[in-house]
Amino acid sequence: MSKRLHNTLIDLMVVVGADQNTSLIPFLNDNHPEGRDLFSTRFEQHVLASISSHTAIMFSNQTTESQLDPNYPHELWTQQNKIKGLKLGPKTPEPSDSHKNSTHRYRRKTMASIKLAVTMATRRVSTDRNMELQIISSEVLSSLRHFCFPDGYQVHSTEQKSHVHYLVLTDVTGARSYATCMTIYKKLYATKENKVGTDEKSYMLSGEPNVLSEECYTPYCVVLISKYPYFSVMKDCLSSLEAKLRMLYEDMEDFTMTLQTYAFRLATTPVPPSGTLAVAFHLDDITVTLSPALTPGRPVVDFPLSLPFNFFSIDKILEIFTCVITQQRVVFASCNYALITLVMESFLYYMLPFKWYGTYVPILTTNMLDFVGAPGYFLMGVNGRHKETISETEGLVVVDIDEGTVEICQSLDLPSLPDEVAQDFKTTYTNIIKNQNQQPVISPDKPSPLSYEDFKKTIAKNENEVNQKIQNIFLDLMVDLFRDVSQFCHPNENLFKKSKFLECKGEKPTRDASQASQFSQASGFFTTVCETDLFKKFLNDRLKEKKDYWTERHQLTDVHGVRNPSKNKSSSLQKLSSSNAPLYPLLSRSPCLEEYTLPSQFDHKDLTSFYQFIKEELEGRLAVCANRTSLSASYYYLIGLLRVAIGLTHEGLATLNQLTAHDNRIYPKEIIEKIIRLLNKDERNKLKNKYQSKQLQAIIANIEKTSDSGHHHHVIMEFDEIPQNDVDIIHFQQCIRRLQLGLIDIDTIESLFASLTIGQNHLHAKVQSQTFSDFYDCWKDNEIKCEEIREIPGIELDPNEDILKVSSSITTNFGVGQLGFTQRSVFFIKQGCSGFEYKVKFTEIEDIQKMSYFSVLSRNSDTLNITNKGEINGKKIFIAYLSTDRNLWYMLIDEMWKGKQWADKTREPGVVQQAAQNVLLLDAVVRSLQDNCGQKAQEGANMLAYFRNIFDNGIHGLNKNKNFGSQKLVHRINPNEKEPEKQTIESLLYTSGYACDGSDETEMPKLWCGMGRGKVRVFDASSWKLFDSTVNAIDRVLCLMKVGQNVWAGSRDHIIYVIDIKTRQCNQKLEGHTDMVCDMTMSTDGKIAYSASLSGEIIVWNTTNFSKVNNFILKTVSAICCHDGLLWCCANNKRTIVAVNQCNGGLMVSHSYNNREFDCFLISSTNELWVGFKHIGEVCIWNINNLNKVPLRTIKVTSRGINCMIQVGNRIWAGGKSSTVSSSRLQETEKQPLKDKDNTTSSTVALSVAKLHIIETREYTVKDIEAHGDSIRCMCTAENRVGIREVKIAVFVKLAGGLMPVLTLFSSQPCR
């Protein structure tokens, strides 16, 4: 017996109704059945059969035991030519008195028989753990029989047409099963039997008439239940079955065998994963095709998504969409049950990636109408004739499909979609979908289909195109509505700043969802949605930084992927509807799907050989499609599950693990978890020891945990509360990040904590709750005052310019008014005037001084004097009389001024924002502490005045080095932007821009940064803006390499992550290394890639299909490169440079030098081997064709070692290790002309300096640049930039002290 295939088309076939082995028993809840005849009475419906891939169970009310067919499915192979098999039971006997008196017992047995169906369907689990899991839960089956006949079970006097409806069944775990039901009518003869002593009557059914019988047509419902929503496919299969059953209903043996044969074929047919592979199979005279899902993570679409548009106007569509996405109590009504389910399913597709977690019952039976009065939110469907009844229920939204209307209860105050987004949606729909519908299904210039199969394929192709466009239109609608969510998500704190998000959307923040009625309909939409479970689950995925189709679409439609919540609110839909824009750049399916047609199960001796045959055929196809990654992934998926099905569990899991190297998005984690859970402890240990896959190991470890993984992942939506108790450093960090103070890095938070705990033992320091409260109040008070200034007429500031501080009314030499400043300038607003009376940019300030003036007529006057480089309104000096606040204002403006100077010198724009953050903290700390202790306030301020300190300590003099100007400093960027903790940058890569295929768009150049905690951060190299998205490895990303349209990221966790350059998503992983991946290189023709691990293992990869070609072992490798047909490696603990054969690793060259330890090497364009030493400030050069012991030249540099080297033109750039130098520090105290004396002291401080050594390859001259505070770890060139002529070099500064690790960009040509 083979094991179960886990991706079959159906899990179960169930037959419900009545036949010769059952009686027609009046339904318990039917009112006054005694007054009704045979054709007006509602009867009980029975489960007649339950068939899966391994079990067939037939039910009868004449025995207490349901019958498990012991010969199923083996006997199916022996009955191919002549259908004969298991009888439903013994031949129906004549009704006996004892049977007549026992019909009431069937009611008690129905539930027991249903549960028995599940028990017997999974009986083999107890005897063979590996056989199969429980497929369908008992609660689903127990309710199924009622939903098969939602209006009740009745027989008819005339023959009725067969009809189909659809169900979605949900169990207690929330798992959904999709059912397609076909009701077929069978002619039988009913004989009345009256129970002695009662008025209750039942009818016996027979295939032959008698004197007392009445001819009737009894319905029975054949139900196909699947994990996949293949509604149309299952309808086609049932249609084929219905044609056969109509011819066989008189022969019960053939009837039973036909049911079993169809069920078995469908329950053993594999379903393809999302991708480019379709699976087809023959079912009698028809060919059925299982098309794959459009995109990984999205369900398959197997019915027309345009269906609701046939019944509702576009305004009504958006109205229903809004009701669903805001979690209303919605009831759909139609006289066509099939229509109800498909329309409801359509709206669930429309709102993806939001997923419905509430009550979902597409069809309510007549006896379940009172469910619409249940509390909570739900989606339900009822027959249209009950519309008036349910409309009386309070709080409902009734959607009438037949009439195309939406009735909203008057007590509901529902919001509507934002007008701009709704209008864009309507325009897009009109331009795309309506134009599509106007086109004929069969083009006039194409030959007409000559067969039904051809015509059906044409219809299906047209339907798929429309479905694809509708999905994209609604996905873009969701992106436009919620693209700004990521701006306010802070994954490290599991925090979403809801109030800021609502402000961004123009809505007033509120904590109480019930207050939403205070707003207008348009402004309350996002307030309402934020309170829904749908949004919270979506938000949870964003906080986990989930990468899915929504993320990809968001990135592709965003402007350079840069966060900007105030712009491009409808860019996705506007772009989609633009006639010049390419449609659907992300979700477009390949024009032609690869199709694999299954053989018949009965062409093989048993199920195992059938699965084995398919596996071998797919393996053959896989061998010839190695260059098509998506198709290869689909083959690996199917082959892996087939291997598990034939008993090769370990081999199957290993095959499924190959998906990480082809398309990690279709990795079937849930299925693999089910398979592993069936293994005993010894088998799991064997699996762990045999396969070292990180992904498999993680799944096994998760299964073996004492489960607390089921807890709900709590999302913090708001945090405005002040701690009631004293807080230590850990809780202080959490509170600060959760408050509306901006995301502050860990060093700044620690400095803030130290400034608020001055005088305490740092090991046990805690911020007092009152101190925390005072600090927060001062912060918010300043924030409110600054916002008020923006409301003054005539005050015009840049949208990105923030007012940091504003004074009360003061006296100045420009008059009476208010002084303030932003990140860019200092301004003065004169009382009674509009606009700025005085405004000077920080770059135009010459000096800032504190002055004290003495007069015999008044007290001392403390002033702040700002000297301009030019005159403003005829004055060169601005004098502000600030009295007791003079020192605070001087400190704040001086910190901002020096921060601006530092930003201009270092070309690092992030410094300005850091200085602004320092100013806000300084102000709040000083004002919160000065009332209690002025000395503490001053000490706390000194801790936070970062840029004043570095100027006072002379660190800013680093940029004044005489050699610094020999190369042009272009820019500095901070890859740790908005990160709570600083991370080192381990690797760098530049990818040039290119034109997108088939469009006028160009892909922007990018700078990739491999970070110390496993992130890969990406910058737009045309604007140096940081993209939102990151790829997260488990550990440090040590090397980066461009391979085709992908970037490979080698990590310390032994994995190579394959990242798509366009989407910046990691969909593939290459495993095989047993140690950290320390370097990668590529052959000259780009067809072969090499990756090296520290242990010395080198793996050879095919860059076309990412397959492993070969591997060989050297002794400890740290760096590799390809040159002239050889692979050059720094090996043997960095003491030997070796060259090996690129194919087999055979040693060709070995070179060492005085047992010195190398740290880096390169081979120049002139065939010279340049080597930098780890602990010596030397670079040695050899000719690679003559590696003598003595180098051609030795170049001494002033660094204490060389970390990295790159060649740019005729120069070698060498990054040195840091060294300590001395710097004179001049500290100038306050200048007080009449009272204070100048007091200047000097001291020497130690500074860490790293140098760039630029070596001319012709003259071997060296020029140094002192531009970094610690060792230079890595460099990369940015050549062949699109639209930019000059070549630049990016250099990394390692984390050192309080300095932020940054990327410094230099021009490769000296300044003129």
Side-chain angles (χ1 to χ4, degrees):
M1 176 65 68
S2 84
K3 301 183 181 181
R4 186 167 80 89
L5 185 63
H6 289 264
N7 62 320
T8 53
L9 174 57
I10 71 165
D11 295 317
L12 203 62
M13 174 190 282
V14 179
V15 183
V16 179
D19 62 9
Q20 295 95 316
N21 291 315
T22 66
S23 297
L24 291 177
I25 305 170
F27 186 60
L28 267 178
N29 295 331
D30 195 13
N31 296 323
H32 309 294
E34 65 278 1
R36 300 181 179 179
D37 60 12
L38 172 66
F39 302 109
S40 60
T41 303
R42 288 190 300 161
F43 298 100
E44 295 274 5
Q45 55 266 59
H46 314 306
V47 176
L48 303 178
S50 172
I51 310 170
S52 69
S53 60
H54 291 85
T55 55
I57 308 166
M58 302 299 159
F59 298 95
S60 170
N61 72 328
Q62 298 183 20
T63 59
T64 57
E65 291 290 333
S66 297
Q67 301 178 37
L68 173 67
D69 185 351
N71 298 317
Y72 177 88
H74 307 294
E75 195 173 19
L76 296 178
W77 273 271
T78 64
Q79 304 296 327
Q80 296 177 60
N81 298 323
K82 182 179 179 181
I83 300 179
K84 61 180 180 179
L86 179 70
K87 298 180 181 180
L88 281 175
K91 187 175 180 179
T92 306
E94 291 297 322
S96 63
D97 291 339
S98 61
H99 177 63
K100 293 178 181 179
N101 294 329
S102 65
T103 54
H104 69 281
R105 288 183 292 180
Y106 190 81
R107 297 185 182 122
R108 299 196 302 267
K109 291 164 51 183
T110 301
M111 288 300 298
S113 65
I114 290 171
K115 292 180 179 179
L116 181 62
V118 178
T119 304
M120 298 181 74
T122 58
R123 174 179 290 179
R124 293 183 177 84
V125 174
S126 61
T127 58
D128 183 355
R129 289 176 57 90
N130 298 326
M131 182 54 58
E132 60 180 302
L133 297 169
Q134 181 169 317
I135 301 171
I136 302 297
S137 64
S138 58
E139 63 267 17
V140 169
L141 268 182
S142 66
S143 60
L144 177 63
R145 62 193 182 98
H146 299 291
F147 292 113
C148 290
F149 301 96
D151 291 329
Y153 187 84
Q154 289 181 286
V155 298
H156 299 268
S157 59
T158 58
E159 186 174 3
Q160 305 291 307
K161 291 183 179 181
S162 300
H163 55 86
V164 175
H165 68 281
Y166 309 97
L167 303 174
V168 180
L169 309 171
T170 308
D171 64 17
V172 292
T173 67
R176 287 179 183 165
S177 298
Y178 302 90
T180 300
C181 313
M182 176 168 282
T183 303
I184 308 170
Y185 292 84
K186 180 178 182 180
K187 185 171 72 173
L188 292 174
Y189 298 91
T191 304
K192 182 187 297 185
E193 49 179 6
N194 292 318
K195 187 176 179 182
V196 179
T198 70
D199 293 331
E200 182 177 331
K201 57 185 178 182
S202 60
Y203 293 85
M204 287 296 299
L205 294 174
S206 174
E208 300 293 335
N210 58 52
V211 177
L212 300 177
S213 65
E214 291 184 76
E215 182 182 280
C216 63
Y217 290 86
T218 61
Y220 63 95
C221 186
V222 183
V223 186
L224 300 181
I225 305 176
S226 173
K227 296 187 293 291
Y228 309 95
Y230 280 106
F231 293 114
S232 297
V233 165
M234 290 191 286
K235 176 184 175 181
D236 289 345
C237 296
L238 287 173
S239 299
S240 175
L241 175 62
E242 186 258 0
K244 280 213 166 191
L245 293 180
R246 280 187 174 275
M247 296 185 295
L248 297 172
Y249 69 88
E250 294 182 356
D251 188 334
M252 293 306 299
E253 292 182 356
D254 289 352
F255 185 89
T256 301
M257 184 58 65
T258 300
L259 284 175
Q260 291 184 359
T261 301
Y262 269 71
F264 179 77
R265 296 194 66 176
L266 300 180
T268 56
T269 296
V271 170
S274 60
T276 57
L277 178 66
V279 172
F281 62 96
H282 298 294
L283 197 62
D284 291 336
D285 297 330
I286 67 170
T287 300
V288 181
T289 302
L290 301 177
S291 297
L294 184 66
T295 309
R298 303 182 79 171
V300 67
V301 183
D302 190 41
F303 65 94
L305 287 179
S306 60
L307 196 60
F309 290 89
N310 296 334
F311 298 92
F312 300 99
S313 67
I314 191 167
D315 290 310
K316 293 298 181 184
I317 292 284
L318 292 179
E319 189 175 11
I320 300 169
F321 173 84
T322 304
C323 292
V324 175
I325 205 172
T326 55
Q327 285 187 182
Q328 304 302 319
R329 303 165 74 232
V330 187
V331 178
F332 290 79
S334 174
C335 293
N336 186 334
Y337 281 118
L339 205 56
I340 298 175
T341 302
L342 296 183
V343 168
M344 292 176 69
E345 280 290 299
S346 296
F347 280 98
L348 295 190
Y349 277 88
Y350 294 167
M351 70 176 188
L352 289 173
F354 281 22
K355 296 180 181 178
W356 186 266
Y357 293 98
T359 301
Y360 182 58
V361 188
I363 294 180
L364 285 177
T365 66
T366 302
N367 294 322
M368 298 171 65
L369 293 180
D370 55 344
F371 279 28
V372 300
Y377 61 94
F378 52 72
L379 296 178
M380 295 184 183
V382 300
N383 193 291
R385 67 175 180 271
H386 303 304
K387 178 182 172 182
E388 292 185 6
T389 303
I390 63 171
S391 296
E392 298 174 358
T393 306
E394 184 69 19
L396 293 185
V397 176
V398 180
V399 179
D400 190 325
I401 300 174
D402 300 333
E403 298 294 332
T405 60
V406 181
E407 298 178 8
I408 300 176
C409 180
Q410 293 182 354
S411 63
L412 295 178
D413 186 11
L414 297 182
S416 58
L417 284 176
D419 291 338
E420 185 179 0
V421 175
Q423 188 57 47
D424 287 339
F425 178 86
K426 295 175 186 178
T427 302
T428 304
Y429 170 79
T430 302
N431 291 344
I432 296 176
I433 300 301
K434 282 196 172 182
N435 292 339
Q436 174 80 23
N437 292 338
Q438 291 173 359
Q439 298 176 3
V441 174
I442 300 173
S443 177
D445 61 339
K446 301 292 183 182
S448 300
L450 299 180
S451 67
Y452 172 73
E453 291 293 330
D454 291 340
F455 181 76
K456 190 175 177 182
K457 286 182 178 179
T458 304
I459 296 295
K461 182 180 178 181
N462 182 72
E463 182 181 295
N464 287 338
E465 291 177 357
V466 174
N467 283 349
Q468 180 179 337
K469 292 178 180 180
I470 290 177
Q471 287 185 84
N472 289 334
I473 291 173
F474 275 98
L475 180 58
D476 283 326
L477 172 64
M478 294 297 290
V479 169
D480 288 339
L481 287 171
F482 301 104
R483 71 166 61 251
D484 298 331
V485 166
S486 58
Q487 168 72 11
F488 305 99
C489 285
H490 302 293
N492 295 307
E493 298 303 316
N494 194 34
L495 171 66
F496 172 65
K497 295 188 175 178
K498 183 178 73 174
S499 62
K500 293 293 185 183
F501 170 71
L502 294 179
E503 288 176 7
C504 157
K505 294 298 184 180
E507 298 185 17
K508 180 181 176 182
T510 176
R511 289 179 176 275
D512 188 356
S514 64
Q515 298 178 19
S517 60
Q518 299 174 5
F519 314 121
S520 66
Q521 288 187 345
S523 65
F525 173 78
F526 293 101
T527 303
T528 306
V529 170
C530 281
E531 299 300 324
T532 64
D533 293 333
L534 286 76
F535 179 77
K536 290 175 182 176
K537 179 58 175 68
F538 167 79
L539 183 61
N540 189 24
D541 290 338
R542 299 318 116 196
L543 288 170
K544 290 180 178 178
E545 299 182 288
K546 181 179 180 180
K547 309 300 181 185
D548 55 13
Y549 54 90
W550 188 89
T551 309
E552 293 182 18
R553 193 66 176 175
H554 179 198
Q555 292 170 0
L556 286 178
T557 57
D558 211 355
V559 180
H560 304 320
V562 181
R563 295 175 175 176
N564 190 346
S566 62
K567 298 179 180 180
N568 304 306
K569 290 184 178 180
S570 301
S571 59
S572 300
L573 288 168
Q574 289 173 352
K575 180 178 179 180
L576 191 60
S577 62
S578 171
S579 59
N580 297 324
L583 297 182
Y584 320 117
L586 169 65
L587 300 178
S588 295
R589 179 181 289 174
S590 301
C592 295
L593 293 174
E594 186 80 12
E595 187 172 291
Y596 172 68
T597 302
L598 294 170
S600 170
Q601 287 87 336
F602 305 116
D603 290 341
H604 306 274
K605 64 179 181 180
D606 55 26
L607 187 57
T608 300
S609 60
F610 169 67
Y611 286 155
Q612 180 70 30
F613 180 82
I614 299 175
K615 179 184 75 70
E616 292 173 356
E617 278 204 334
L618 293 178
E619 287 171 345
R621 285 174 167 244
L622 177 61
V624 298
C625 76
N627 297 339
R628 298 173 63 182
T629 303
S630 177
L631 187 58
S632 297
S634 298
Y635 285 140
Y636 276 115
Y637 179 96
L638 293 175
I639 291 170
L641 292 177
L642 286 167
R643 285 179 174 173
V644 172
I646 62 177
L648 303 175
T649 304
H650 289 194
E651 293 80 356
L653 291 174
T655 303
L656 290 173
N657 196 61
Q658 292 292 322
L659 289 171
T660 59
H662 293 82
D663 192 344
N664 195 52
R665 297 173 298 173
I666 65 172
Y667 187 78
K669 184 178 178 181
E670 292 182 359
I671 293 178
I672 291 174
E673 284 182 351
K674 290 179 181 179
I675 295 170
I676 294 177
R677 286 183 188 278
L678 290 173
L679 302 178
N680 58 39
K681 187 175 181 180
D682 292 338
E683 290 172 328
R684 289 181 190 171
N685 290 334
K686 183 179 178 181
L687 182 65
K688 284 196 294 186
N689 296 331
K690 187 173 182 180
Y691 302 103
Q692 299 300 317
S693 163
K694 295 284 184 182
Q695 207 145 345
L696 273 179
Q697 297 284 354
I699 291 175
I700 296 173
N702 183 57
I703 291 174
E704 293 177 347
K705 279 183 182 177
T706 55
S707 162
D708 58 38
S709 59
H711 297 305
H712 178 66
H713 188 72
H714 180 61
V715 175
I716 302 171
M717 297 285 282
E718 288 295 345
F719 188 89
D720 289 332
E721 298 178 0
I722 303 302
Q724 300 301 310
N725 302 313
D726 299 349
V727 290
D728 58 16
I729 182 62
I730 301 299
H731 292 93
F732 181 78
Q733 291 174 11
Q734 295 174 353
C735 292
I736 288 296
R737 287 175 182 159
R738 291 173 181 174
L739 288 168
Q740 305 289 338
L741 308 183
L743 191 62
I744 308 173
D745 67 88
I746 186 65
D747 288 342
T748 305
I749 294 178
E750 289 177 351
S751 297
L752 177 61
F753 180 83
S755 69
L756 295 175
T757 57
I758 291 174
Q760 298 185 33
N761 184 330
H762 71 280
L763 296 177
H764 307 288
K766 289 186 177 183
V767 175
Q768 297 177 357
S769 60
Q770 185 59 48
T771 302
F772 197 111
S773 178
D774 292 343
F775 164 78
Y776 184 66
D777 289 343
C778 291
W779 177 287
K780 299 301 286 185
D781 178 62
N782 179 64
E783 190 178 77
I784 293 170
K785 288 181 179 179
C786 292
E787 286 297 323
E788 291 174 350
I789 292 296
R790 281 189 175 271
E791 304 300 324
I792 297 177
I795 301 301
E796 296 182 1
L797 294 171
D798 188 276
N800 296 322
E801 192 173 5
D802 301 312
I803 299 176
L804 303 177
K805 177 73 173 173
V806 65
S807 72
S808 55
S809 183
I810 62 170
T811 301
T812 71
N813 61 334
F814 279 73
V816 178
Q818 291 178 283
L819 173 67
F821 65 95
T822 69
Q823 306 103 311
R824 301 179 183 179
S825 59
V826 180
F827 61 82
F828 174 72
I829 304 172
K830 191 174 182 179
Q831 200 170 44
C833 299
S834 62
F836 298 113
E837 181 72 15
Y838 166 85
K839 186 178 182 182
V840 59
K841 293 182 179 179
F842 281 107
T843 54
E844 298 170 354
I845 293 177
E846 189 174 283
D847 195 14
I848 302 174
Q849 295 176 310
K850 293 187 294 184
M851 306 293 287
S852 294
Y853 294 93
F854 177 78
S855 171
V856 294
L857 299 178
S858 63
R859 299 179 301 174
N860 292 349
S861 298
D862 292 337
T863 66
L864 178 67
N865 291 12
I866 301 175
T867 304
N868 312 320
K869 294 179 180 178
E871 292 186 354
I872 298 179
N873 293 339
K875 300 174 183 178
K876 186 176 177 64
I877 300 177
F878 175 84
I879 301 174
Y881 297 87
L882 291 163
S883 186
T884 56
D885 289 337
R886 188 273 311 269
N887 289 348
L888 174 60
W889 274 89
Y890 172 75
M891 188 183 304
L892 297 178
I893 294 179
D894 192 46
E895 173 71 7
M896 194 67 244
W897 182 42
K898 288 186 167 66
K900 187 69 173 73
Q901 292 180 62
W902 181 262
D904 292 342
K905 290 176 182 293
T906 61
R907 304 292 178 87
E908 186 179 350
V911 167
V912 173
Q913 196 59 36
Q914 185 179 346
Q917 185 75 70
N918 293 347
V919 166
L920 295 173
L921 292 174
L922 274 168
D923 177 58
V925 167
V926 171
R927 290 196 294 127
S928 62
L929 295 179
Q930 64 184 2
D931 292 340
N932 299 324
C933 182
Q935 182 62 33
K936 284 186 177 181
Q938 184 61 42
E939 291 181 25
N942 291 336
M943 292 181 179
L944 296 169
Y946 175 73
F947 294 104
R948 297 186 72 218
N949 292 334
I950 64 173
F951 269 73
D952 290 344
N953 290 333
I955 299 179
H956 70 293
L958 185 68
N959 287 341
K960 296 179 180 179
N961 182 277
K962 62 181 181 180
N963 290 327
F964 186 80
S966 63
Q967 297 297 132
K968 182 182 178 182
L969 173 62
V970 178
H971 199 63
R972 285 187 192 242
I973 54 179
N974 176 22
N976 285 282
E977 181 182 335
K978 296 190 177 181
E979 286 292 320
E981 297 183 20
K982 300 174 185 175
Q983 303 176 39
T984 57
I985 304 175
E986 302 287 349
S987 51
L988 291 172
L989 176 69
Y990 173 85
T991 56
S992 58
Y994 60 90
C996 298
D997 295 337
S999 75
D1000 297 331
E1001 294 185 348
T1002 57
E1003 182 62 27
M1004 293 299 175
K1006 298 182 178 71
L1007 181 64
W1008 305 71
C1009 309
M1011 308 298 288
R1013 292 182 181 269
K1015 287 188 176 182
V1016 178
R1017 309 212 76 186
V1018 189
F1019 288 87
D1020 179 345
S1022 60
S1023 62
W1024 303 117
K1025 298 293 185 180
L1026 181 64
F1027 286 101
D1028 283 343
S1029 60
T1030 59
V1031 174
N1032 294 317
I1034 299 174
D1035 209 334
R1036 291 186 296 164
V1037 177
L1038 301 176
C1039 50
L1040 295 165
M1041 179 175 68
K1042 182 178 183 292
V1043 180
Q1045 299 305 314
N1046 299 288
V1047 168
W1048 288 16
S1051 173
R1052 195 173 185 270
D1053 59 19
H1054 314 170
I1055 297 174
I1056 299 174
Y1057 297 84
V1058 182
I1059 308 168
D1060 184 270
I1061 292 177
K1062 185 175 182 180
T1063 64
R1064 306 181 299 282
Q1065 300 287 324
C1066 175
N1067 299 325
Q1068 298 165 270
K1069 298 177 183 178
L1070 305 181
E1071 297 187 0
H1073 283 285
T1074 57
D1075 201 348
M1076 65 178 71
V1077 183
C1078 57
D1079 202 6
M1080 297 181 292
T1081 190
M1082 194 154 45
S1083 62
T1084 307
D1085 58 10
K1087 296 180 179 180
I1088 298 295
Y1090 302 86
S1091 59
S1093 58
L1094 195 61
S1095 62
E1097 182 181 23
I1098 295 177
I1099 297 182
V1100 186
W1101 304 92
N1102 184 322
T1103 58
T1104 303
N1105 55 22
F1106 303 159
S1107 62
K1108 184 177 177 181
V1109 177
N1110 194 11
N1111 71 303
F1112 46 86
I1113 304 293
L1114 300 176
K1115 187 175 181 181
T1116 60
V1117 175
S1118 59
I1120 58 175
C1121 76
C1122 287
H1123 180 78
D1124 199 21
L1126 296 177
L1127 180 66
W1128 294 75
C1129 314
C1130 183
N1132 193 21
N1133 293 319
K1134 296 187 176 183
R1135 299 184 185 277
T1136 306
I1137 301 294
V1138 300
V1140 300
N1141 185 287
Q1142 291 185 358
C1143 297
N1144 56 28
L1147 184 64
M1148 308 296 290
V1149 177
S1150 178
H1151 177 68
S1152 60
Y1153 182 57
N1154 295 341
N1155 203 31
R1156 290 184 180 180
E1157 190 171 351
F1158 309 138
D1159 212 17
C1160 58
F1161 78 97
L1162 67 79
I1163 300 175
S1164 69
S1165 57
T1166 56
N1167 286 337
E1168 290 179 335
L1169 174 65
W1170 292 59
V1171 176
F1173 296 99
K1174 185 173 183 178
H1175 301 299
I1176 303 172
E1178 290 182 359
V1179 176
C1180 290
I1181 306 169
W1182 287 269
N1183 187 306
I1184 61 171
N1185 297 318
N1186 185 16
L1187 294 175
N1188 296 320
K1189 291 186 177 180
V1190 179
L1192 295 176
R1193 188 176 295 271
T1194 299
I1195 301 173
K1196 294 187 179 296
V1197 296
T1198 54
S1199 295
R1200 58 184 179 87
I1202 303 297
N1203 279 330
C1204 52
M1205 293 188 296
I1206 58 173
Q1207 182 172 8
V1208 184
N1210 295 324
R1211 299 180 181 87
I1212 301 294
W1213 289 53
K1217 296 182 183 297
S1218 62
S1219 57
T1220 303
V1221 299
S1222 296
S1223 175
S1224 296
R1225 182 181 64 182
L1226 299 176
Q1227 182 176 5
E1228 185 171 340
T1229 59
E1230 299 176 356
K1231 298 178 181 179
Q1232 298 174 329
L1234 299 179
K1235 182 177 179 180
D1236 300 334
K1237 295 182 180 179
D1238 292 346
N1239 180 23
T1240 301
T1241 61
S1242 64
S1243 61
T1244 302
V1245 295
L1247 298 175
S1248 179
V1249 176
K1251 296 181 180 180
L1252 266 173
H1253 309 288
I1254 304 175
I1255 307 170
E1256 295 285 344
T1257 57
R1258 297 172 182 173
E1259 296 84 10
Y1260 300 104
T1261 57
V1262 182
K1263 293 182 180 179
D1264 294 343
I1265 298 177
E1266 294 178 357
H1268 301 292
D1270 205 344
S1271 299
I1272 299 169
R1273 293 288 297 274
C1274 54
M1275 299 183 287
C1276 74
T1277 59
E1279 300 178 286
N1280 301 322
R1281 294 190 52 182
V1282 174
I1284 298 178
R1285 295 180 180 178
E1286 57 186 1
V1287 179
K1288 300 185 178 181
I1289 295 176
V1291 186
F1292 167 59
V1293 184
K1294 188 182 176 184
L1295 181 63
L1299 296 178
M1300 182 68 71
V1302 296
L1303 290 169
T1304 307
L1305 308 178
F1306 294 95
S1307 168
S1308 62
Q1309 302 298 327
C1311 294
R1312 295 180 180 179

